[in-house]
Amino acid sequence: MTGAQEQGRVVVLTGASSGIGRATAVELAARGYRLVLAARRAGELLALAMELDPTGTRAVAVPVDVTSPDARAFLMDTARTVFGRVDVLVNNAGVTVEQGWWWDDPDPLRVLRVNLEAPIELTRLVLPEMRARGSGHVVNIGSVAGRAATNGMYSASKFGMRGFSLALRRELLGSGVHVSLIAPGFVKSEMTARAQLPMPGPEVVARAVADVLERPRREVIVPGVYRALAWLDRRLPALADVIVTRVLMRRRYGHGRPRG
């Protein structure tokens, strides 16, 4: 084991200030990883870094907007300056159209910029060093909405994330670089605060992320009950239509029965 491995692998984690990202930071810190925490909200991010590591030697906060090319480059440069390398990239930052129909939103394409374009570009920034080193891990946070479509823009981004993740894994086979996709169903977070659905806490996703870093897997759906919805959407799409439109879309996005 190298000195860097003994000190704990270095993880760049986006969307770290709340929800799944925050829970993942807590879980990874407890397992001995060194963390570069990224998010837009500087106050929450700095407080989290101090909570996890008051010494500032194992967790650093880097307030950035991942849709900015300069900010993405700054994030990776900071990680390398502070810790010397990036062993793991967790692409977690995400947004959705919170209420109403996506076509009524003034900027629906921001969902694609945050959820798909930014992870692709961040991955592109870390792959050269990972491939040269022959080790590394990219963990992308997708969604069950990337298997069973719900919201147009959000599902578009998560279907894209799934395709990107599965293809990238194959492109990197034999390189020593792993790629994993974590696909959560509904879990408690700011993004799902209005959803009238039974939901576990984000810790279930955080544990799944930490587990694939220790035992790499191609794709993990959490909570496991959502595997049934993915199966239904593939095998019995008419029944999935009923579940999605009458339960998930109405309770999550406040939509009534679709017209037309």
Side-chain angles (χ1 to χ4, degrees):
M1 182 175 289
T2 67
Q5 288 172 322
E6 290 172 352
Q7 296 168 16
R9 283 188 289 172
V10 177
V11 179
V12 173
L13 169 63
T14 67
S17 62
S18 65
I20 290 171
R22 191 184 198 285
T24 301
V26 172
E27 182 71 24
L28 294 180
R31 298 197 191 196
Y33 291 88
R34 294 181 289 171
L35 302 175
V36 181
L37 306 173
R40 289 178 301 168
R41 292 179 292 186
E44 290 89 337
L45 198 66
L46 291 165
L48 175 60
M50 283 295 295
E51 174 187 330
L52 297 178
D53 175 33
T55 70
T57 61
R58 298 188 64 82
V60 296
V62 187
V64 293
D65 178 352
V66 294
T67 65
S68 163
D70 290 341
R72 292 192 293 260
F74 175 73
L75 172 61
M76 293 305 170
D77 288 345
T78 301
R80 296 184 188 108
T81 298
V82 174
F83 293 124
R85 58 194 282 154
V86 176
D87 297 297
V88 177
L89 170 63
V90 180
N91 285 310
N92 168 71
V95 297
T96 189
V97 175
E98 290 291 344
Q99 285 189 304
W101 302 107
W102 63 266
W103 53 81
D104 293 325
D105 190 270
D107 183 21
L109 292 181
R110 76 185 187 283
V111 178
L112 299 183
R113 292 193 294 270
V114 175
N115 295 7
L116 186 57
E117 180 183 300
I120 290 171
E121 291 295 340
L122 286 166
T123 300
R124 200 157 65 96
L125 291 176
V126 299
L127 279 184
E129 69 180 89
M130 288 183 176
R131 293 180 69 238
R133 195 169 59 235
S135 67
H137 204 142
V138 176
V139 180
N140 292 322
I141 306 301
S143 172
V144 173
R147 302 286 295 272
T150 54
N151 175 286
M153 285 297 100
Y154 189 71
S155 285
S157 71
K158 295 305 184 178
F159 268 80
M161 178 69 96
R162 183 170 189 263
F164 170 66
S165 300
L166 299 183
L168 181 64
R169 174 186 168 276
R170 286 180 173 159
E171 290 170 327
L172 294 173
L173 285 174
S175 70
V177 181
H178 299 286
V179 180
S180 298
L181 175 68
I182 308 297
F186 287 105
V187 299
K188 293 178 183 176
S189 69
E190 290 185 2
M191 189 180 292
T192 60
R194 295 187 180 93
Q196 299 175 359
L197 293 164
M199 294 178 285
E203 293 78 15
V204 66
V205 184
R207 289 192 294 271
V209 172
D211 288 346
V212 298
L213 294 182
E214 296 174 4
R215 183 186 173 199
R217 295 176 62 185
R218 179 181 64 179
E219 183 175 11
V220 179
I221 296 176
V222 289
V225 66
Y226 282 93
R227 289 195 292 267
L229 179 59
W231 184 90
L232 277 175
D233 196 70
R234 185 174 68 253
R235 300 292 186 182
L236 299 168
L239 179 56
D241 284 349
V242 173
I243 294 172
V244 169
T245 57
R246 293 186 181 179
V247 180
L248 299 184
M249 290 176 67
R250 185 175 299 176
R251 294 190 179 187
R252 167 63 183 93
Y253 294 104
H255 297 328
R257 185 185 298 276
R259 294 189 296 270

